[in-house]
């Protein structure tokens, strides 16, 4: 399908879907950088907003906070019993995110207005290496590999934070640094296989948590190096061609599906796990309820119209995951050939009822 920034088959509100042509790869990159800038700005703004209303004398989860509990659970600014002893780190983190959002904003503007619209024409640094074509599996694998490297290093950095600084450990009610043992690494292989005491949603010790992040980080880095250097096997390319996974809609559909799954897992993990999400910061574990759709409800009444931080975080994460699932279905169906723009006409034709009775044409009346 021929498409470009100036002439597209998508309406104006279709977002990145308008940028599917390789000639618009520079603007595709700009859109992603600007999205990261918005996320950074949101984190900084909402952290400052929460600091404005935060009252250390009231339980954190009873104030509708989401970002401050995250930082407290990571052992930042808290002491014994989960009591906040210093709010300055929260301010500093908010400002760092704001500065990062400004840097990303300029980066996005550069790729939008100054840098080449087609990355294959080159640019500063290694820009040309990230040019892509939807029919080039190796180049798409190269870009995927770089993403995996980033995720892997981020996972190892969090494990390093746990080892060198420590995070809040609800079992002792204080911040504790942990060095995973060999036994912790062997535990990883028991999670997810119905081993008694090893339900991944109810992990209850820092050693297994740190070991898991190290293994996942190393696995992602190895996978990243693999995809950067190895062209997808022929059977994978045939699979992609047959199901059109190597189209813009096919790839974004797969990506949104993965994000949706992670969103559902994160929502349930937050709802039921009181170790990684301590009760001191997020409130008691939630109950899973069903109405039109599943939702999470506080198991402890906090007052009329008041919800715990855990309830806010779990439900919002679930709904965002559900929204991504809709995007997955939309783009995957488009990749399979469904043209949603033709649906209104098709539905009208399908439900049109032809009357068997002759229709009388009204005659004009004489005045």
């Amino acid at each position: 399908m021929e498409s470009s920034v100036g002439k597209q088959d998508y309406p104006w509100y279709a977002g990145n879907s308008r940028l599917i042509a390789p000639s618009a790869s520079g603007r595709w990159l700009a859109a992603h950088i600007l999205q990261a800038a918005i996320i950074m700005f949101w984190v900084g703004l909402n952290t400052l907003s929460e600091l404005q209303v935060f009252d250390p004398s009231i339980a954190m989860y009873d104030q509708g906070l989401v970002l401050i509990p995250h930082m407290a659970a990571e052992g930042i600014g808290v002491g014994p019993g989960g009591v906040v002893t210093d709010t300055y780190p929260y301010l500093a983190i908010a400002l760092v995110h704001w500065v990062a959002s400004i840097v990303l904003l300029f980066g996005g503007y550069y790729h939008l207005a100054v840098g080449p619209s087609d990355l294959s024409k080159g640019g500063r640094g290694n820009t040309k290496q990230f040019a892509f074509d939807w029919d080039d599996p190796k180049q798409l694998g190269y870009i995927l590999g770089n993403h995996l490297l980033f995720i892997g290093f981020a996972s190892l950095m969090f494990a390093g934070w746990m080892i060198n600084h420590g995070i809040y450990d609800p079992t002792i009610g204080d911040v504790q640094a942990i060095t995973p043992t060999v036994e912790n690494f062997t535990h990883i292989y028991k999670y997810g296989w119905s081993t008694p005491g090893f339900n991944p949603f109810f992990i209850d010790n820092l050693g297994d948590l740190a070991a898991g992040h190290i293994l996942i980080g190393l696995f992602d880095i190895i996978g990243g190096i693999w995809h950067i250097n190895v062209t997808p096997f022929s059977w994978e390319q045939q699979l992609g061609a047959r199901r059109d996974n190597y189209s813009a809609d096919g790839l974004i559909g797969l990506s949104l599906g993965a994000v949706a799954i992670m969103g559902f897992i994160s929502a349930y993990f937050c709802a039921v796990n009181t170790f990684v999400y301590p009760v001191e910061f997020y409130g008691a574990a939630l109950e899973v309820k069903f109405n039109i759709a599943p939702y999470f409800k506080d198991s402890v009444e906090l007052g009329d119209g008041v919800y715990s931080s855990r309830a806010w975080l779990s439900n919002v994460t679930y709904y965002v995951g559900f929204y991504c699932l809709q995007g997955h279905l939309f783009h995957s169906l488009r990749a399979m050939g469904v043209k949603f723009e033709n649906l209104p006409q098709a539905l009208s034709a399908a439900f049109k009822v032809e009357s068997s009775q002759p229709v009388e044409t009204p005659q004009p009346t004489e005045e």
Side-chain angles (χ1 to χ4, degrees):
M1 178 172 56
E2 184 178 353
S3 181
S4 65
V5 178
K7 177 183 178 182
Q8 355 82 25
D9 302 317
Y10 296 86
W12 65 269
Y13 52 80
N16 291 344
S17 298
R18 296 175 292 161
L19 309 180
I20 66 173
S23 60
S25 55
R27 298 197 177 188
W28 177 278
L29 177 60
H32 281 67
I33 295 175
L34 290 172
Q35 288 167 354
I38 292 173
I39 294 172
M40 287 289 187
F41 183 82
W42 177 89
V43 172
L45 177 64
N46 279 271
T47 301
L48 291 176
S49 298
E50 291 186 5
L51 279 173
Q52 292 295 316
V53 299
F54 175 57
D55 185 350
S57 65
I58 302 176
M60 195 177 292
Y61 59 83
D62 204 11
Q63 302 181 56
L65 308 177
V66 173
L67 298 179
I68 290 180
H70 267 307
M71 292 182 283
E74 292 176 6
I76 301 174
V78 296
V83 177
V84 175
T85 58
D86 187 7
T87 60
Y88 177 76
Y90 305 153
L91 174 63
I93 291 172
L95 296 178
V96 167
H97 279 80
W98 261 9
V99 172
S101 72
I102 294 173
V103 173
L104 290 168
L105 177 65
F106 280 106
Y109 176 79
Y110 170 83
H111 285 285
L112 179 65
V114 181
S117 177
D118 186 350
L119 296 180
S120 64
K121 295 181 180 179
R124 291 188 177 184
N126 61 346
T127 302
K128 190 174 181 179
Q129 298 181 24
F130 291 92
F132 62 89
D133 193 311
W134 300 114
D135 296 325
D136 186 355
K138 177 169 176 53
Q139 184 61 15
L140 294 175
Y142 175 84
I143 296 174
L144 170 62
N146 280 273
H147 281 74
L148 289 174
L149 287 179
F150 178 82
I151 296 172
F153 282 119
S155 184
L156 291 180
M157 287 176 63
F158 181 68
W161 173 265
M162 295 177 64
I163 294 171
N164 293 285
H165 178 274
I167 65 174
Y168 186 78
D169 187 347
T171 57
I172 64 171
D174 202 353
V175 177
Q176 179 181 209
I178 185 69
T179 300
T181 63
V182 175
E183 185 179 10
N184 292 128
F185 285 98
T186 60
H187 286 172
I188 301 303
Y189 300 100
K190 297 181 180 180
Y191 284 103
W193 295 98
S194 301
T195 305
F198 288 92
N199 187 321
F201 288 103
F202 294 97
I203 186 171
D204 59 0
N205 65 92
L206 293 182
D208 287 358
L209 189 65
H213 278 82
I214 292 174
L215 286 180
I216 290 175
L218 293 175
F219 184 78
D220 283 336
I221 291 174
I222 293 172
I225 295 173
W226 171 272
H227 284 288
I228 288 174
N229 294 281
V230 179
T231 303
F233 297 131
S234 58
W235 65 267
E236 293 178 291
Q237 296 187 37
Q238 292 171 5
L239 178 68
R242 183 163 61 249
R243 296 187 181 177
D244 208 13
N245 287 344
Y246 291 124
S247 69
D249 280 303
L251 285 172
I252 198 171
L254 290 173
S255 299
L256 286 170
V259 173
I261 292 173
M262 293 300 103
F264 296 147
I265 292 174
S266 298
Y268 184 70
F269 189 85
C270 175
V272 300
N273 187 285
T274 57
F275 181 80
V276 178
Y277 296 89
V279 173
E280 294 90 327
F281 308 134
Y282 294 91
L286 307 177
E287 298 176 350
V288 181
K289 299 290 186 178
F290 292 90
N291 195 343
I292 298 176
Y295 67 97
F296 303 99
K297 181 179 181 298
D298 280 309
S299 57
V300 177
E301 292 295 333
L302 299 175
D304 188 24
V306 179
Y307 304 97
S308 69
S309 298
R310 192 185 302 273
W312 278 107
L313 184 58
S314 295
N315 283 289
V316 170
T317 303
Y318 171 78
Y319 289 126
V320 170
F322 188 77
Y323 178 77
C324 290
L325 178 61
Q326 311 313 303
H328 159 73
L329 295 174
F330 172 80
H331 287 286
S332 297
L333 288 171
R334 279 190 63 91
M336 296 167 63
V338 176
K339 293 185 176 296
F340 287 92
E341 57 270 26
N342 295 337
L343 283 182
Q345 182 179 357
L347 291 174
S348 297
F351 290 97
K352 185 177 181 180
V353 179
E354 297 290 345
S355 175
S356 59
Q357 299 296 326
V359 178
E360 297 183 0
T361 303
Q363 299 296 325
T365 58
E366 296 182 0
E367 295 183 359

